[in-house]
Amino acid sequence: MTGERIAIVGVGQTVHKSKRTDVNTAELCAEAVEAALADAQLTMKDIDCVILGSFEPADGYSGPDKWIVPEIGAVGKAGFEMQNVGTTGGVVCATGFNMAASGLFENVLCVAWQKMDEAAGAFGRGGGGANEYWTGQFPMSPITNFARRTYDYMTRSGCTEEHLAMVRVKQDQCAQRNKYAQLKLGLTVEKVMNDFLLAWPIRRLHMCPTTAGSAAIIVCPEQRAKKVSKKPVWVEDWFTCHQGGALTMAEDPQASTLGYACKKIYKRCGIINPKKEIQAWEVYEPASTAELRWMEEVGICEDYTAWKLFEQGRVGTDKEIPFNPSGGVTATNPIGCTPVVRVVEAALQVRGDAEEHQVPGTINRALATAYGGQGENVVFLLKKTL
Amino acid sequence: MTPQIKKSVADIPEEPIVVEVQAHSNFLVTVGNTGNKFLTEIRDNKTIMGIKCPQCKKVYVPPRTHCPTCFTRMSEWVKLSGKGTLETYTVVRYQEPYMPKEPPYAYGVIKLDGADTGIVHLIGGVDLSKIKVGMKIEPVFKEQREGSILDIDYFKPIG
Amino acid sequence: MLKKEEPQDPAVAFRYPRVITYKHSLGYQSKFAHALKMGRIIATKCPVDGRCTIPPRIVCPMHHVRQTEWVDQGQRGKLLSAFKINFPMFDSRTGDLKSWETPIVSIELEGGARMDGWCAEKDTEKLKSGMILEAVWRPPEERKGRVDDILYWKPV
């Protein structure tokens, strides 16, 4: 990495709910900004750069930054808005990191939000160029994309529907311990296996909810970070890459850039055994069944064997593999904001501040990812010491 | 490699095609508690309210939760007379979907007495050619109000 | 499921319905649309690795070279995966909630390119990976140069 070394000095998120009729979109965003500023013990006066974003079609506003910027007291500060479907929060954070690493800014605020109780059929129009032409006749959405991916995974790995249910139960158990998570349902394998079938093998419980929520982080270059925070969370590296989205999925049901991005990051940071060298994982899984494949892509186990780890009960906040101790995206998904929630949760784990859902032991490194469209990824590596 | 199909593609035309599509959206916009108080005061009491920042002492209309200048939470409501001055305006003469009225109509920025910000609204009850910047104006409320900014039908000159 | 909630009080929440008309140019892909009207499926071929892709692209996304060769993909394909949607979902073309009765299939065509389509066989239990399916077209006068000119794929 070149440029200044940088650290996250403050994090904040709202308590995520399916509906927030008491605030409008800008006010929701302001709540997370207040929380992050309070955590860092800074004020808006200290902030000199603001990067913001949300998945605009799911909120129904074009260019919402014009409305949000005054409502978060950011008028006159450097910065801009980003948008990239599910990876929005990821590119917001990555850009914020770049701004801090450039040495041009001292206190960079990155904030993303999503108020999905306002959207109607947001996924009716997916991305991909002349989409109406190619996929407009099909109901394209995460549900159908993950139905396809999971069916393919089951064919190749030999896992059963029961294993898919085990993954969902583990996520629910993690979410129950996270005061910010939305869905806390008290699930059992039986409940999941008998739930309403959306598109085989995806059941309603396998899918992420629609959420109204917001999250923010504050990033500083090295000298400033050491002054502002007693427990700065150092950003070791980040990487983003794209592939063809829905149109590529027809070519390869497992098309994903996560494995590719992780290999690049591990090589750059000298990580040889990710399972040992990374102690907490916050990986963006839009459907609970995606965790199986993602665990393999980030290097925890061999391809098409992750389902065995769940069968053996080795995955959980207090277990051998602490994968998504916050409950993950299946419990909370304010789409554009979700990657920022992943970074916030990973940072809390590194600091030891995750309260009831803290992974035990010293967390030297945590991995956070953003996933969007049908296969784009932004991957972040956070660490405790320089 | 997969086997190649040998049929020629030379007879297939290449003229560019343009596809027309219609995107439908039907979003549900939440007003929030602060906006809700503003609109219900207009609907139930024909009163326009502003909100005051404890730090800057500025009064904002329409109201919002945080001060844009210093990001302090605001909670002090101020009742305004509704009268104000026209800061600037324009007359819309062209047609476009989703307009509040049939053109030609005038709308402008109004600085309400007691407020530090301007609000945008329609100007009516006056000949379009007689509208002047600096005019003193007051709101005309609709008989049937439902809780929207258009419960104020328009602002008209006083007197 | 995906219910539309009707707002009761506009001072709390209100709807604002909008319809926007777009005019998308197909550009290089226009040839594909013309081929569909003629009852044929064609794809661009990468000069580096010979892979054919649908949608056809002017540049290969992996090798970053221009793809000028078009190859006919035949009328049959091998089934890769299938799924059926069990709940009403929004039709992006109209904005309405509707039920989707037919399964969607992913196929690998004779020419090597892959695409999606509707399937004639409604029972997903009968659809097995590797089955051969054949395209059933709309009558020529009804074709619009859209991917759904292929009415559905039928097991052979």
Side-chain angles (χ1 to χ4, degrees):
Chain A
M1 297 302 310
T2 53
E4 296 267 356
R5 296 193 290 194
I6 57 171
I8 299 172
V9 303
V11 299
Q13 59 180 314
T14 56
V15 173
H16 305 286
K17 294 203 158 73
S18 70
K19 273 202 286 204
R20 287 291 305 270
T21 48
D22 57 323
V23 286
N24 61 33
T25 308
E27 291 160 4
L28 179 67
C29 188
E31 278 186 15
V33 172
E34 270 180 329
L37 287 172
D39 187 56
Q41 299 189 320
L42 292 172
T43 66
M44 267 319 267
K45 276 212 180 61
D46 301 305
I47 302 293
D48 52 4
C49 178
V50 179
I51 309 291
L52 38 114
S54 86
F55 174 38
E56 289 177 12
D59 277 351
Y61 299 107
S62 178
D65 58 325
K66 322 286 180 277
W67 175 30
I68 306 258
V69 160
E71 300 249 355
I72 60 171
V75 174
K77 300 192 193 291
F80 40 85
E81 199 205 355
M82 323 267 317
Q83 210 238 138
N84 191 20
V85 197
T87 36
T88 298
V91 301
V92 162
C93 289
T95 306
F97 295 155
N98 285 354
M99 301 303 255
S102 71
L104 295 170
F105 302 103
E106 288 284 292
N107 306 281
V108 181
L109 172 69
C110 307
V111 55
W113 68 91
Q114 203 74 60
K115 195 158 186 297
M116 293 179 73
D117 47 318
E118 308 206 356
F123 292 111
R125 308 196 81 237
N131 182 63
E132 284 299 321
Y133 180 78
W134 291 105
T135 53
Q137 60 169 325
F138 301 118
M140 295 301 276
S141 84
I143 299 171
T144 54
N145 290 330
F146 280 93
R148 203 202 299 240
R149 275 185 195 266
T150 312
Y151 171 92
D152 184 76
Y153 183 89
M154 290 169 82
T155 314
R156 294 202 220 192
S157 70
C159 82
T160 65
E161 275 200 71
E162 200 179 337
H163 297 107
L164 305 183
M166 285 179 203
V167 179
R168 184 62 187 96
V169 170
K170 179 257 350 142
Q171 284 159 339
D172 188 57
Q173 284 166 350
C174 291
Q176 305 250 20
R177 293 157 68 165
N178 179 2
K179 67 184 185 198
Y180 296 103
Q182 180 186 339
L183 293 183
K184 296 175 212 225
L185 304 171
L187 294 178
T188 61
V189 168
E190 213 192 324
K191 264 193 200 156
V192 179
M193 285 185 66
N194 292 320
D195 190 39
F196 183 82
L197 184 66
L198 294 174
W200 196 86
I202 299 289
R203 296 190 180 267
R204 188 176 40 194
L205 283 170
H206 286 309
M207 288 310 297
C208 50
T210 54
T211 312
S214 173
I217 61 170
I218 300 176
V219 191
C220 300
E222 189 179 347
Q223 298 309 323
R224 176 81 181 143
K226 285 178 176 160
K227 273 206 204 97
V228 171
S229 172
K230 292 197 181 64
K231 290 195 279 190
V233 176
W234 300 99
V235 181
E236 188 173 2
D237 201 354
W238 65 95
F239 188 76
T240 100
C241 53
H242 270 49
Q243 48 94 39
L247 307 178
T248 315
M249 274 208 66
E251 296 167 21
D252 174 7
Q254 296 297 340
S256 161
T257 49
L258 182 58
Y260 178 83
C262 285
K263 282 198 180 71
K264 274 241 148 72
I265 264 201
Y266 296 158
K267 185 155 180 228
R268 293 209 301 221
C269 299
I271 294 177
I272 301 171
N273 186 349
K275 187 161 166 237
K276 275 215 165 63
E277 299 180 66
I278 298 174
Q279 290 83 30
W281 310 82
E282 282 288 338
V283 178
Y284 189 138
E285 88 297 357
S288 64
T289 56
E291 269 202 18
L292 293 167
R293 187 72 192 123
W294 288 182
M295 280 176 70
E296 296 154 8
E297 294 213 24
V298 300
I300 289 177
C301 57
E302 295 294 314
D303 283 347
Y304 303 106
T305 62
W307 57 279
K308 293 187 190 150
L309 297 171
F310 283 90
E311 194 176 64
Q312 293 155 11
R314 290 161 64 184
V315 187
T317 313
D318 303 318
K319 308 249 171 81
E320 185 190 330
I321 300 161
F323 206 78
N324 290 348
S326 62
V329 181
T330 320
T332 307
N333 188 21
I335 310 173
C337 162
T338 304
V340 184
V341 174
R342 302 271 76 65
V343 172
V344 167
E345 290 291 341
L348 288 173
Q349 292 291 341
V350 170
R351 275 176 18 186
D353 286 340
E355 296 175 0
E356 273 193 58
H357 64 286
Q358 175 68 46
V359 172
T362 312
I363 310 297
N364 287 316
R365 268 204 182 97
L367 187 91
T369 76
Y371 172 92
Q374 290 87 29
E376 293 83 73
N377 275 281
V378 186
V379 180
F380 303 102
L381 205 51
L382 305 180
K383 66 177 184 166
K384 200 179 187 70
T385 50
L386 268 177
Chain B
M1 295 290 114
T2 48
Q4 300 301 294
I5 308 292
K6 292 298 175 198
K7 202 165 171 192
S8 163
V9 295
D11 57 333
I12 301 176
E14 292 181 359
E15 268 97 277
I17 293 178
V18 175
V19 174
E20 194 177 287
V21 300
Q22 291 209 318
H24 293 247
S25 71
N26 195 8
F27 291 107
L28 179 71
V29 180
T30 309
V31 174
N33 284 349
T34 309
N36 176 257
K37 189 175 164 94
F38 175 69
L39 292 177
T40 38
E41 285 290 326
I42 289 178
R43 178 187 63 199
D44 299 340
N45 302 324
K46 295 206 256 188
T47 308
I48 303 176
M49 304 274 279
I51 203 166
K52 187 168 176 177
C53 174
Q55 292 260 77
C56 320
K57 312 292 184 214
K58 282 196 189 156
V59 175
Y60 293 97
V61 175
R64 59 213 80 169
T65 53
H66 289 81
C67 172
T69 312
C70 65
F71 197 49
T72 313
R73 264 196 188 263
M74 303 188 285
S75 52
E76 188 189 331
W77 290 87
V78 175
K79 196 162 147 177
L80 303 171
S81 67
K83 301 197 167 97
T85 317
L86 183 64
E87 300 234 284
T88 179
Y89 76 100
T90 187
V91 176
V92 176
R93 298 187 185 279
Y94 67 98
Q95 182 68 276
E96 196 177 69
Y98 309 115
M99 282 189 159
K101 277 173 91 152
E102 283 291 310
Y105 62 88
Y107 80 114
V109 177
I110 298 145
K111 186 93 175 310
L112 293 171
D113 294 339
D116 291 287
T117 61
I119 67 161
V120 173
H121 215 291
L122 301 163
I123 316 294
V126 62
D127 204 300
L128 290 176
S129 60
K130 298 221 163 56
I131 303 177
K132 293 228 169 338
V133 166
M135 239 163 65
K136 297 286 175 212
I137 48 182
E138 64 185 352
V140 172
F141 292 90
K142 283 189 175 144
E143 281 303 314
Q144 301 278 52
R145 298 182 296 280
E146 52 172 24
S148 122
I149 192 75
L150 295 176
D151 285 349
I152 303 170
D153 209 352
Y154 51 82
F155 280 78
K156 76 169 190 359
I158 298 177
Chain C
M1 280 280 59
L2 294 159
K3 303 197 288 276
K4 257 197 201 176
E5 201 190 285
E6 286 326 299
Q8 305 301 315
D9 181 354
V12 172
F14 58 91
R15 287 213 179 270
Y16 72 108
R18 290 287 185 274
V19 178
I20 306 170
T21 307
Y22 290 102
K23 294 191 178 125
H24 294 301
S25 305
L26 293 183
Y28 195 66
Q29 296 172 342
S30 304
K31 193 172 172 102
F32 181 85
H34 286 296
L36 287 175
K37 280 199 214 161
M38 296 165 70
R40 293 173 65 181
I41 308 169
I42 58 175
T44 42
K45 181 173 149 195
C46 172
V48 173
D49 66 0
R51 235 167 57 110
C52 291
T53 50
I54 287 174
R57 296 179 176 100
I58 196 168
V59 170
C60 171
M62 294 307 291
H63 303 108
H64 319 298
V65 291
R66 269 190 182 257
Q67 302 187 124
T68 50
E69 193 183 341
W70 293 82
V71 176
D72 191 304
Q73 299 296 305
Q75 296 287 315
R76 289 184 174 192
K78 192 172 62 175
L79 177 67
L80 296 174
S81 75
F83 64 89
K84 185 160 161 300
I85 299 164
N86 209 21
F87 63 100
M89 252 192 87
F90 288 102
D91 182 342
S92 69
R93 290 189 167 162
T94 61
D96 296 326
L97 266 180
K98 69 177 246 211
S99 286
W100 303 82
E101 295 298 322
T102 358
I104 297 172
V105 288
S106 273
I107 327 176
E108 187 176 296
L109 296 160
E110 287 176 285
R114 298 178 178 188
M115 68 184 293
D116 292 345
W118 298 108
C119 185
E121 176 53 73
K122 289 201 177 160
D123 185 356
T124 43
E125 297 287 309
K126 298 212 175 99
L127 292 171
K128 299 278 172 248
S129 202
M131 263 171 97
I132 306 294
L133 304 171
E134 189 171 50
V136 174
W137 295 83
R138 286 183 197 278
E141 62 276 8
E142 281 179 32
R143 291 181 205 153
K144 295 203 174 88
R146 283 198 326 215
V147 185
D148 56 359
D149 285 349
I150 300 167
L151 212 42
Y152 48 75
W153 292 83
K154 196 178 70 177
V156 154

